Amino acid sequence: LAARLTISIDGMGGDDAPGMVVEGAARALERLAEVEFLLVGDEERLAPLVGGFPALAGVCRVVHTKEVVTSEEKPSAALRTGRRSSMRLAIDAVAAGEAAGVVSAGNTGALMAMAKFVLKTLPGIERPAIATYLPTLRGETVMLDLGANVVCDAENLVQFAVMGEVFARNVLGLDKPSVGLLNVGEEDLKGHEEVKRAAAILQQSGLPIRFHGFVEGDDIGAGTVDVVVTDGFTGNIALKTAEGTAKLFGVALRSCLRGSLRGRLGAWLARPALLAFKRRVDPRRYNGALLLGLNGVCIKSHGGTDAIGFANAIRVAVNAAREGVNEGIKEDYAKLVAHRQNGPQAVAG
Amino acid sequence: LAARLTISIDGMGGDDAPGMVVEGAARALERLAEVEFLLVGDEERLAPLVGGFPALAGVCRVVHTKEVVTSEEKPSAALRTGRRSSMRLAIDAVAAGEAAGVVSAGNTGALMAMAKFVLKTLPGIERPAIATYLPTLRGETVMLDLGANVVCDAENLVQFAVMGEVFARNVLGLDKPSVGLLNVGEEDLKGHEEVKRAAAILQQSGLPIRFHGFVEGDDIGAGTVDVVVTDGFTGNIALKTAEGTAKLFGVALRSCLRGSLRGRLGAWLARPALLAFKRRVDPRRYNGALLLGLNGVCIKSHGGTDAIGFANAIRVAVNAAREGVNEGIKEDYAKLVAHRQNGPQAVAG
């Protein structure tokens, strides 16, 4: 039986908070056992919402605060003035050992800044990265960094590779995930200096990482590797470009089908198949990105998500806490550091 | 009536060359008037292929050479040793005034290196960029750089903005195209130094460019702006990510429809609508990227394209030559330089 786990939730983060958050928590419960919630935010608004879901009310404690971090706030300002905000108190609960992980759909930069300040990074990790998994032709692929670090050097990319590999093993349950570095070509000569240096380090690291080499943008959807590593600028733009393309396709498909009687009839007949298709590429199923490299489980939900997406983010938090992703990263990263300081025998020994 | 125009074609570039190239030229002719071709490559192979298309044979002269640039060749090596290659001779024809533009589906790096060496860049343009247009929810959007320049500074990005704007006006026929800089957020604080500096320059340039500010990855598909400007690393990855996502969608849709009798029946009924959808998002319709900033029209076709895609690349070359894209860039860029040296009055005067 799984151990009882508490997840703290920023009740006020997200475009449609707090309604979307509370409904999301209730939906998450339907598929989770032995989980409790600390729900942080305005009690006057949260309590009645929670009351609407009896199963949730039984396992949810509201922690009251009136303060919130807005989506426009600068990370540095939020860090300085938001010490009583719902986001901050939800993170504090993890640091205090009252919760095994935190979920927020609020301001990404503020969440990263606060979580880094409160939880600290794992030993040897300079910069945490935002990681998620995406649908591909072959299943699912982990991608990071998705925007935490706009400029990255080779060392950062190598750290992301280690963190992403552990994430893929523990959260996606892959046995020996392959890792690729995102680049503009597959040849060794292509790309900028940092990505080439990162590849050289990964090829020589001696870590038990299955390093594939470089991959290109279309390899993300093809599922060529299990983990795609890139800097936060490129990763954020690639992720959002994929989202935009998906939306364009959905809209174009719908408008073509609606444009004729035969199209409408066909779509009606094929409705179950079209719904299955929609489910398969539904971005809400992939909502919930890990802030990887922190000394604690911290999940960022898309700000514009709905209850179904938020429920998924909560499940990602529960999985990450139960599977000990951070412990795995800590161990693997220590091995890498030892190896690079002392040579391969240090890893073997 | 349009003036008679000659386009030189690298007959041997592309995965399925020369067959795909010759058929592509024949197809392009169906929708072009007053156009002739110089087809460069192995006459023994090209002549019989051309003979299969009588309309083409009437307006096509084969320029014989046995040498080719392979897809694996390094740009520097191709430049040094490929002086009698089909790619190089096709470019030479533009420099010699025998052709108004050149099209190749061969090695991108070699094409850029040779074209830059032979044709030179326009005055004030340090680095040419690869530009194309893509389907969006609102129509079509120009994007550059797609991979010519892996590392770009603010000045390069500003030059790309000027070139992209002129391209959108002349080739897409937009009256006052809006220009956005690709970034990880819309706020002024987001992004790395070069993209922020480029935005500051564009805001103060006084050029008649409608500068929208920053856009994000999902704005590409949404068509938020008419021109998306980015560095070649990010642009190449964004473009290929979009292609990969499109492929994933197509495959997932097909497999869902085929998975049930109702799905298969519905798809049969909706077949005309599904074909219209497929045409609308068909990447071949968008094949043919301009090497912008060169003193001559040079078009790169996707190496893996077929005759339909190659025909489109030829049409892009014809349009770019007829619309005087390079002359427009030369004028607008001169204005920008004058403005930044002497203040806004120099532009007005």
Side-chain angles (χ1 to χ4, degrees):
Chain A
L1 203 87
R4 202 154 192 82
L5 205 73
T6 303
I7 299 294
S8 64
I9 298 174
D10 171 6
M12 313 308 282
D15 300 349
D16 296 327
M20 165 285 279
V21 172
V22 173
E23 194 194 327
R27 280 179 173 274
L29 262 192
E30 293 166 11
R31 284 169 53 191
L32 289 171
E34 303 288 323
V35 168
E36 296 181 334
F37 299 120
L38 287 180
L39 185 61
V40 190
D42 186 351
E43 190 161 24
E44 266 179 58
R45 297 181 66 190
L46 291 173
L49 289 167
V50 172
F53 301 96
L56 177 65
V59 298
C60 179
R61 185 157 67 83
V62 173
V63 178
H64 176 70
T65 183
K66 279 274 186 194
E67 287 179 34
V68 294
V69 173
T70 65
S71 58
E72 297 79 30
E73 214 157 331
K74 271 205 258 182
S76 54
L79 195 57
R80 217 168 42 239
T81 65
R83 265 167 264 181
R84 297 288 311 160
S85 65
S86 59
M87 183 185 279
R88 174 65 182 269
L89 294 181
I91 299 169
D92 286 349
V94 176
E98 293 160 19
V102 54
V103 183
S104 174
N107 181 325
T108 311
L111 183 66
M112 180 55 97
M114 282 182 174
K116 208 173 152 182
F117 177 78
V118 172
L119 301 174
K120 315 293 181 209
T121 57
L122 289 171
I125 302 290
E126 286 165 45
R127 305 205 210 160
I130 301 177
T132 195
Y133 50 95
L134 303 163
T136 73
L137 281 177
R138 288 180 50 241
E140 282 160 351
T141 285
V142 173
M143 186 158 137
L144 74 168
D145 176 23
L146 301 174
N149 309 282
V150 160
V151 179
C152 293
D153 63 16
E155 290 293 331
N156 299 136
L157 293 172
V158 171
Q159 292 176 12
F160 298 167
V162 174
M163 297 195 291
E165 202 259 0
V166 180
F167 179 60
R169 259 192 288 129
N170 292 287
V171 174
L172 293 189
L174 297 173
D175 187 32
K176 201 128 183 48
S178 58
V179 178
L181 269 173
L182 196 56
N183 199 351
V184 294
E186 285 163 29
E187 306 82 9
D188 285 350
L189 291 160
K190 292 275 177 83
H192 53 65
E193 275 316 304
E194 299 305 327
V195 83
K196 284 190 241 178
R197 272 219 304 137
I201 296 172
L202 283 167
Q203 254 139 11
Q204 295 153 15
S205 70
L207 255 198
I209 284 185
R210 192 144 65 90
F211 180 56
H212 171 94
F214 294 133
V215 292
E216 298 190 65
D218 50 347
D219 290 308
I220 302 171
T224 307
V225 291
D226 301 310
V227 182
V228 173
V229 173
T230 188
D231 64 90
F233 189 83
T234 312
N236 181 283
I237 287 170
L239 178 71
K240 289 191 174 162
T241 299
E243 287 173 4
T245 307
K247 186 155 186 199
L248 172 63
F249 259 66
V251 171
L253 177 61
R254 211 173 304 130
S255 99
C256 285
L257 287 173
R258 282 183 186 164
S260 68
L261 183 62
R262 272 190 70 169
R264 285 194 296 274
L265 270 172
W268 173 80
L269 251 182
R271 198 175 140 78
L274 290 172
L275 285 175
F277 165 69
K278 205 176 158 186
R279 257 195 312 279
R280 183 157 159 205
V281 294
D282 188 345
R284 295 176 301 186
R285 271 186 58 200
Y286 302 91
N287 184 46
L290 256 115
L291 272 50
L292 267 181
L294 292 171
N295 195 14
V297 171
C298 181
I299 305 295
K300 168 68 173 94
S301 159
H302 204 296
T305 196
D306 62 10
I308 293 172
F310 198 79
N312 195 71
I314 292 175
R315 283 193 289 268
V316 173
V318 170
N319 283 345
R322 288 223 164 108
E323 306 293 345
V325 175
N326 290 332
E327 286 66 37
I329 292 173
K330 201 146 78 179
E331 280 172 31
D332 283 14
Y333 197 71
K335 278 187 210 162
L336 180 72
V337 171
H339 173 77
R340 291 179 65 194
Q341 281 169 351
N342 310 317
Q345 67 283 5
V347 177
Chain B
L1 204 89
R4 203 156 190 82
L5 205 73
T6 303
I7 299 293
S8 65
I9 298 175
D10 171 6
M12 312 308 281
D15 301 349
D16 297 327
M20 167 284 280
V21 171
V22 173
E23 192 194 330
R27 280 178 173 272
L29 262 192
E30 293 167 11
R31 286 168 52 191
L32 290 171
E34 301 289 324
V35 168
E36 298 182 334
F37 299 121
L38 288 179
L39 186 60
V40 190
D42 186 351
E43 189 160 25
E44 267 180 60
R45 298 182 65 191
L46 290 173
L49 288 166
V50 171
F53 301 96
L56 177 65
V59 297
C60 179
R61 184 159 67 84
V62 173
V63 178
H64 175 71
T65 181
K66 280 269 185 200
E67 288 181 33
V68 294
V69 174
T70 65
S71 58
E72 298 78 29
E73 212 158 332
K74 272 206 255 181
S76 54
L79 194 57
R80 216 170 40 243
T81 65
R83 264 166 265 181
R84 297 290 312 159
S85 64
S86 60
M87 184 186 279
R88 174 65 182 269
L89 294 181
I91 299 169
D92 285 349
V94 177
E98 293 160 20
V102 53
V103 183
S104 174
N107 182 326
T108 311
L111 182 66
M112 180 56 97
M114 282 183 176
K116 209 174 150 180
F117 177 78
V118 173
L119 302 174
K120 315 294 180 206
T121 57
L122 290 171
I125 301 289
E126 287 165 43
R127 305 207 210 159
I130 301 178
T132 193
Y133 51 93
L134 303 163
T136 74
L137 282 177
R138 287 179 52 241
E140 281 160 352
T141 286
V142 173
M143 187 157 138
L144 74 167
D145 176 24
L146 301 175
N149 308 281
V150 160
V151 178
C152 293
D153 64 16
E155 290 294 330
N156 299 136
L157 294 172
V158 170
Q159 292 176 11
F160 298 168
V162 174
M163 297 194 290
E165 203 259 0
V166 179
F167 179 61
R169 258 192 288 130
N170 291 290
V171 175
L172 293 189
L174 297 173
D175 186 32
K176 199 129 186 46
S178 58
V179 177
L181 267 173
L182 196 56
N183 198 351
V184 294
E186 287 164 27
E187 305 82 9
D188 284 350
L189 292 160
K190 291 276 177 79
H192 53 64
E193 275 315 303
E194 298 306 325
V195 82
K196 284 190 242 180
R197 272 217 306 137
I201 297 171
L202 284 168
Q203 254 139 11
Q204 295 152 15
S205 70
L207 255 198
I209 284 186
R210 194 145 64 90
F211 179 55
H212 171 94
F214 294 133
V215 292
E216 299 190 64
D218 50 348
D219 289 308
I220 301 170
T224 307
V225 290
D226 300 311
V227 182
V228 173
V229 174
T230 188
D231 63 90
F233 189 82
T234 312
N236 181 283
I237 287 171
L239 179 72
K240 289 192 174 161
T241 300
E243 287 173 4
T245 307
K247 184 151 187 203
L248 172 64
F249 258 67
V251 171
L253 177 61
R254 211 173 306 130
S255 99
C256 284
L257 286 172
R258 282 183 186 164
S260 69
L261 184 62
R262 272 191 69 170
R264 285 193 296 275
L265 270 173
W268 174 79
L269 250 181
R271 198 175 141 77
L274 290 172
L275 285 176
F277 164 69
K278 204 176 159 188
R279 256 194 314 277
R280 184 157 158 202
V281 294
D282 188 345
R284 295 175 301 186
R285 271 187 58 199
Y286 301 92
N287 185 45
L290 255 117
L291 272 49
L292 267 182
L294 292 171
N295 196 15
V297 170
C298 182
I299 305 294
K300 166 71 173 95
S301 158
H302 204 297
T305 197
D306 63 10
I308 294 173
F310 198 79
N312 196 72
I314 292 174
R315 282 193 290 269
V316 173
V318 170
N319 284 343
R322 289 222 164 110
E323 304 295 344
V325 174
N326 289 333
E327 287 65 38
I329 293 172
K330 200 146 78 178
E331 279 173 31
D332 282 16
Y333 197 71
K335 279 187 208 162
L336 181 73
V337 170
H339 173 78
R340 291 178 67 193
Q341 282 169 349
N342 311 318
Q345 66 284 3
V347 178

